[in-house]
Amino acid sequence: MKEVIQYIIQFLLGDDVPGELVNSIGYTSDPTEYYRYNIVLRPSGFFDNNQYGSTASLPQHPLEEINGVPILYGTAKTEWYGTTKVIDADLIASTYFLITRYEEMIKRTTRDEHGRFPGKQSFLYQAGLLDRPLADEYRLLVRTWLQECLIPIHPVTPGIRKIYLTHDVDMPFLYRSWKGMVRSVLKRRGILTTLKGKFGALKNDPYYTFPWLFSVNKQLEEKCRNTVESIFFFKTGGNTPYDKPHYRPKDRAIAKLLKNCAVQQASIGLHASYEAGMNPLIIKEERKRLEEQLQENVYYNRNHYLMNREPEDMDILETAGITHDFTMGYADIAGFRLGTSRPVRWINPVTRRVSSLKLQPLVIMDCSLEEKRYMALNYNEAREYTSKLIHRIHQTGGEIVLLWHNTSVVENTDSYLRTLYIDILNELAEI
């Protein structure tokens, strides 16, 4: 547990703070140890053997607040022991609960039809806190307390440190497959139009919106130099109905698209299949297929359907050679699934091991906002909600990961997602 506690303290401080400051914060209830530290966070008992892993260890409503920030464990009491500030708010346990998906380990039977933990069943959603990066707000608290102890540490500078514009390539084309040709004929598009869709230039396919995405992403990159990264996630396998349409990296059109991504200096990641969500052991082989086509290593991953089912499945990603995972958002609601907008190392809540795998929290996904089975927001509601999330990331100096599918920005549809994407990029360019 010592490594876990030290890592969480460093995470709360922020990666721009010298590592030696970790030793200025203690996690103990022994008064004889208080003098060693500038700040002491008193344990709430969350990690006790008779508590940890039980349903009784889950946070309870209503939550206490300290300086307007809700705490999941402990109380708002603070006191001074000489020059040491002692705080009963157990920010170690509270942060651990958030970044490890601890709740999902306890509630194993709470899953949707795809085996995913639903965001609307989460404690944060039910407490009205899913739209707040609580762990990042804890960071602001810790820095304020250190300043009160006369430790020379600067406040967090508002701003967005990194913008990830990510795109899952679930359906790269609408009419290029033989099944697509049949679909085109049934929709009475005409034989000539259908043949153009199948055999003609890629630009004739309505789902081939990649040139447009390259263009608008590049505009933001030019305005926010060194802070924007575009990533396209490609499938390489999966044999379930949810993995359709099936395509492979070596397919001529896909190989061309992969080359176009390289020309546009966009990163490429693995879109691990739905099948891999059920059997994570096959992710290693799926990664290998993509690497063979690219002739380079692939370190990014996002699961199709956000199908990372159990918390400890992350361990398999690590052994498969993935270093950064972008899966950690809820499908049914946008927000801060891990209670943070900053990358965080994976901690397995079963073994309590701190891994090398970094989780990049997914904050906003297109279909979460619009689809009736999820949030079912209209344009104005979606714009207001996404702006609120962006503002809170900016306040806490975090990072933002957007997920927009190529199929969401097709022209001349009833969807507002193409317009919303542009509006979000414009907002990010201005803040």
Side-chain angles (χ1 to χ4, degrees):
M1 274 302 298
K2 183 178 180 181
E3 183 186 8
V4 169
I5 292 168
Q6 288 184 324
Y7 173 72
I8 290 178
I9 292 173
Q10 180 68 71
F11 177 75
L12 289 173
L13 287 170
D15 54 17
D16 60 334
V17 173
E20 56 265 25
L21 271 186
V22 171
N23 297 324
S24 70
I25 301 176
Y27 188 57
T28 177
S29 56
D30 183 356
T32 66
E33 296 290 320
Y34 292 171
Y35 75 94
R36 298 176 180 272
Y37 308 102
N38 297 105
I39 292 174
V40 166
L41 300 172
R42 267 200 283 243
S44 60
F46 170 81
F47 292 108
D48 292 351
N49 290 335
N50 62 349
Q51 184 85 350
Y52 187 88
S54 68
T55 55
S57 67
L58 295 173
Q60 301 295 318
H61 300 288
L63 299 175
E64 290 199 36
E65 294 187 358
I66 185 165
N67 295 351
V69 181
I71 51 176
L72 306 188
Y73 296 97
T75 73
K77 179 183 176 182
T78 64
E79 55 188 330
W80 288 91
Y81 276 69
T83 59
T84 302
K85 188 175 183 71
V86 179
I87 299 152
D88 275 8
D90 190 347
L91 300 190
I92 303 297
S94 297
T95 302
Y96 181 93
F97 174 89
L98 295 168
I99 66 176
T100 64
R101 298 161 61 200
Y102 177 82
E103 176 181 31
E104 301 176 34
M105 179 190 75
I106 301 299
K107 299 180 179 179
R108 294 285 191 185
T109 59
T110 305
R111 299 292 187 269
D112 67 8
E113 69 271 25
H114 300 292
R116 306 171 301 191
F117 188 83
K120 292 177 182 176
Q121 294 297 318
S122 69
F123 179 86
L124 288 180
Y125 175 80
Q126 294 174 356
L129 296 171
L130 191 61
D131 60 354
R132 291 179 63 173
L134 282 186
D136 299 341
E137 293 184 37
Y138 296 157
R139 178 190 183 204
L140 305 187
L141 287 176
V142 170
R143 290 200 178 200
T144 298
W145 294 333
L146 284 171
Q147 289 173 333
E148 291 175 3
C149 296
L150 304 181
I151 301 296
I153 182 172
H154 59 81
V156 171
T157 302
I160 297 182
R161 298 191 311 171
K162 186 74 180 280
I163 300 168
Y164 290 97
L165 306 177
T166 74
H167 310 284
D168 292 355
V169 186
D170 298 341
M171 297 180 66
F173 318 109
L174 180 59
Y175 297 124
R176 302 292 287 189
S177 67
W178 293 108
K179 183 178 288 187
M181 286 189 67
V182 173
R183 186 188 299 117
S184 179
V185 171
L186 292 177
K187 289 189 175 183
R188 300 180 180 179
R189 297 179 72 240
I191 296 298
L192 182 59
T193 301
T194 296
L195 291 174
K196 283 183 178 180
K198 171 63 177 173
F199 299 106
L202 291 175
K203 65 181 181 180
N204 294 328
D205 192 289
Y207 282 2
Y208 196 78
T209 58
F210 301 101
W212 184 83
L213 287 170
F214 291 147
S215 175
V216 296
N217 289 2
K218 187 67 69 176
Q219 290 174 36
L220 183 63
E221 290 172 20
E222 291 172 353
K223 293 177 181 177
C224 308
R225 293 189 181 280
N226 302 320
T227 61
V228 179
E229 183 175 359
S230 296
I231 310 173
F232 290 80
F233 291 92
F234 286 84
K235 296 187 294 183
T236 68
N239 293 306
T240 75
Y242 293 106
D243 288 309
K244 294 180 179 179
H246 303 299
Y247 65 81
R248 296 293 184 267
K250 63 183 179 181
D251 295 345
R252 180 180 299 178
I254 298 298
K256 183 176 181 179
L257 178 54
L258 288 168
K259 286 184 178 179
N260 286 344
C261 287
V263 169
Q264 296 294 327
Q265 297 182 314
S267 300
I268 294 173
L270 174 67
H271 198 31
S273 66
Y274 188 97
E275 183 179 5
M278 297 185 291
N279 177 19
L281 292 174
I282 68 175
I283 290 176
K284 186 173 183 179
E285 182 59 32
E286 292 187 358
R287 174 180 181 243
K288 181 181 177 182
R289 291 191 199 114
L290 186 56
E291 290 180 330
E292 287 175 348
Q293 179 63 36
L294 296 174
Q295 292 297 297
E296 62 183 51
N297 292 328
V298 173
Y299 296 110
Y300 292 171
N301 174 73
R302 177 182 287 131
N303 283 53
H304 191 34
Y305 274 74
L306 305 184
M307 270 277 288
N308 186 287
R309 292 184 166 197
E310 301 303 325
E312 55 269 36
D313 288 352
M314 289 295 182
D315 284 343
I316 302 176
L317 272 182
E318 183 185 20
T319 58
I322 298 298
T323 61
H324 294 73
D325 183 76
F326 288 78
T327 308
M328 283 297 103
Y330 291 123
D332 59 332
I333 185 167
F336 302 99
R337 181 177 184 175
L338 299 180
T340 180
S341 66
R342 292 182 291 144
V344 59
R345 287 173 64 186
W346 164 237
I347 301 173
N348 187 326
V350 177
T351 62
R352 288 182 257 189
R353 180 183 71 88
V354 182
S355 77
S356 61
L357 175 68
K358 281 195 174 181
L359 308 184
Q360 306 281 162
L362 169 61
V363 180
I364 302 171
M365 179 170 70
D366 49 12
C367 55
S368 300
L369 303 168
E370 187 180 53
E371 289 193 13
K372 287 184 169 52
R373 58 180 172 152
Y374 294 147
M375 297 179 75
L377 303 179
N378 62 36
Y379 169 81
N380 290 331
E381 292 168 336
R383 187 72 192 92
E384 180 181 1
Y385 186 72
T386 54
S387 188
K388 177 170 63 174
L389 296 176
I390 291 168
H391 174 68
R392 287 180 170 163
I393 294 170
H394 184 271
Q395 282 183 313
T396 55
E399 303 183 0
I400 186 167
V401 177
L402 301 176
L403 165 52
W404 242 254
H405 296 77
N406 59 293
T407 52
S408 295
V409 295
V410 175
E411 291 187 273
N412 304 318
T413 70
D414 294 332
S415 171
Y416 60 72
L417 291 176
R418 182 182 173 103
T419 300
L420 180 61
Y421 187 64
I422 287 292
D423 289 343
I424 289 175
L425 296 197
N426 287 337
E427 180 177 358
L428 291 172
E430 296 299 324
I431 60 175

